[in-house]
Amino acid sequence: MPRLVAPVVPAGTMRRDDQPVLTAPGGLTLRPWLPSDAATVLAAYADPEIRHWHRRGVTSEDEARELIARWNHGWTDETTACWAVLAGDSANVAGRVAIRDVDLEVGQGKVGYWVLPAARGGGIAVRAVQEASRWALDDLGLHRLDLGHSVANTASCRVADRAGFRLEATLRSTLLHSDGWHDMHLHARIGE
């Protein structure tokens, strides 16, 4: 069947180049994940806050390496751009930011992120989300990014707001976490 509307972003746009390394204000570097980051991923998913808001568990460095491989494979599949976030001159990972569930044809994706406990409180999540979103909307050419979080996750609500994502809706009882069903806030940013 012929398409009546051209894809917003042509297929192959992501995978034709290597995933970029991005820099954000305040000395942040966003780089692709490395297998050697497995211990950090394992530690992140052991953190009670990350475990509570993310529905995935990682119990070994082997599982962490498999997860990193899936994140990186998302680039060639053109479904995910996932970065390790480094702060300042440190080679240590402070967090993660991702543009996931990318649909190039309709020009949309979703933002996800976490920050390790030692790096929280300094605006790392906001700056990482802003830079990854800038890349997705300006460089890649997506039209819309969604950011969803439990209404009980007030820290994520602040990140979304400060990163320029407008609150659009509250989705009732839409995501099952370990402690039950949660209403979710839906925030979005639209490309220029």
Side-chain angles (χ1 to χ4, degrees), residues 2 12 31 34 37 54 67 69 90 191:
R31 64 147 168 85
L34 305 172
D37 295 323
H54 293 81
L67 183 56
S90 175

Side-chain angles (χ1 to χ4, degrees), residues 22-130:
L22 305 174
T23 57
L28 293 187
T29 301
L30 284 58
R31 64 147 168 85
W33 286 90
L34 305 172
S36 59
D37 295 323
T40 301
V41 171
L42 180 61
Y45 285 94
D47 173 64
E49 287 294 312
I50 291 173
R51 287 182 68 89
H52 184 74
W53 300 120
H54 293 81
R55 301 164 8 113
R56 174 185 317 274
V58 177
T59 60
S60 70
E61 285 193 26
D62 285 340
E63 285 183 5
R65 278 187 286 279
E66 289 173 19
L67 183 56
I68 290 168
R70 282 200 304 271
W71 289 339
N72 290 336
H73 190 68
W75 182 262
T76 56
D77 283 350
E78 297 187 307
T79 58
T80 303
C82 187
W83 290 275
V85 179
L86 288 69
D89 294 333
S90 175
N92 296 327
V93 175
R96 170 186 180 261
V97 65
I99 308 297
R100 58 184 178 77
D101 299 337
V102 173
D103 187 329
L104 296 176
E105 185 172 340
V106 298
Q108 297 182 15
K110 296 178 181 177
V111 177
Y113 53 90
W114 48 252
V115 175
L116 290 165
R120 291 181 188 146
I124 287 174
V126 171
R127 295 190 318 270
V129 167
Q130 287 172 327

